[in-house]
Structure formats: structure tokens, C-alpha cells
Amino acid sequence: MKAKRTILLLVLSLVFCTGTWAAPRLVVWQKNGQKVFYDLAEEPHTTFENGLLVITTNNVRVEYQLSNILRYTYEGVNTSIETPLPDGTGFRQNGDDIDVYGLAPDGTAQLYDLNGRLLESGTAEGNRNNVHFSLQNLPAGTYVVKVGDQSLKFMKR
């Protein structure tokens, strides 16, 4: 009886996980509440022509009046951006989180605004060779992360 219950729970878990997982896709949000999905495997290409949002895939070309479109977004896509540097360090941005990795022990990283004001500084301690910065509580804008003589700009929207 216990084995049957376990199998049933596993099957239900798979069904729910499969139902909530979506392949990477482009989503067109229309003002009438309707959403249209384009699988990224179809290679959708978006352009704007004469007041139209035009989506062309391997199989179809669809035109939407811009006045009827709320927005278009991507789902199921990894939005993390990674910039490795030649010395083994690197920067990774995922949303409002920035990680500096590959630092030497006691290596430091600094976060600046565009006015050159130091906002935060971090040190790699112990066996952790990374420093984490969160932009969550900062206003939208551009920020600079500096490690040694290397720096990289990041945007928060």
C-alpha cells in the first residue's frame, strides 16, 4: 500500500511539473487579454513596420497592430549574463543580482554609481572566491563593478 502511494505521488509530481514547465518562447500580450505564444525553436524574428509588430518564424508571418499590443516578453529563457575575464575572474548578472567570481583570497570588488560614488565594497573571505552585490534596493540606472583595474557596467531597469 505504501509503495502504491509513493508511485502515485511521483506520477502526480511529474504531471504537475510537466504542466508548469514551458519551453522557451516569445509571448505577445494583447490588450484584450489574449496571449499568443511562439516557440523559440521556430526562431521568431520581430520587426516594426508602419505601426505593426511583425513576427516572422520558419513557418509563418504574423502582423499585429501596435495599438492592440500591450507588450511582448520571453519566457523560459535564462537571463543571466556572464562576462569572464582573462585572469580567471568574471562578472555574472542575473536580474538585480551581480556576482564577481574567481577572486583571490581577500580579493575585493566595489560597486559604484555613475557619479563615481562608492556604494558597496566586498571581500572574498575564506574559501569563498566571490563577492555578491544586490541592486534590488537601488534605483534604475547604470552601475559599475570594479575589480583591480577591470570594471564592467551593469544596468538595472
Side-chain angles (χ1 to χ4, degrees):
M1 184 67 164
K2 190 173 185 180
K4 287 182 184 179
R5 199 174 315 150
T6 302
I7 291 171
L8 179 61
L9 286 174
L10 284 172
V11 170
L12 288 174
S13 296
L14 286 172
V15 168
F16 284 114
C17 288
T18 304
T20 59
W21 181 82
R25 59 192 180 177
L26 169 68
V27 183
V28 178
W29 301 71
Q30 298 181 41
K31 289 183 179 177
N32 66 7
Q34 187 178 22
K35 292 190 270 184
V36 182
F37 302 96
Y38 296 90
D39 191 336
L40 290 189
E42 296 176 19
E43 299 178 14
H45 179 73
T46 59
T47 57
F48 298 97
E49 301 172 9
N50 302 321
L52 300 172
L53 167 63
V54 179
I55 299 178
T56 309
T57 70
N58 295 336
N59 304 317
V60 69
R61 175 186 161 98
V62 181
E63 298 176 350
Y64 298 95
Q65 288 290 328
L66 283 176
S67 59
N68 297 330
I69 300 299
L70 195 55
R71 66 181 178 273
Y72 68 93
T73 60
Y74 293 90
E75 291 181 352
V77 177
N78 181 0
T79 58
S80 177
I81 299 172
E82 188 164 340
T83 307
L85 301 175
D87 66 359
T89 60
F91 303 93
R92 182 179 303 114
Q93 180 180 15
N94 191 2
D96 289 344
D97 294 316
I98 297 174
D99 290 301
V100 181
Y101 60 88
L103 295 171
D106 297 325
T108 61
Q110 296 87 27
L111 176 66
Y112 293 90
D113 65 15
L114 281 185
N115 293 323
R117 211 174 18 219
L118 177 64
L119 302 174
E120 193 174 343
S121 182
T123 302
E125 298 174 356
N127 60 359
R128 290 186 41 227
N129 63 348
N130 66 335
V131 171
H132 175 82
F133 297 112
S134 175
L135 304 179
Q136 186 173 10
N137 295 324
L138 296 173
T142 304
Y143 297 90
V144 177
V145 175
K146 184 172 188 226
V147 177
D149 62 351
Q150 301 287 331
S151 62
L152 199 62
K153 291 181 186 177
F154 293 93
M155 282 186 70
K156 177 183 178 180
R157 295 180 190 231

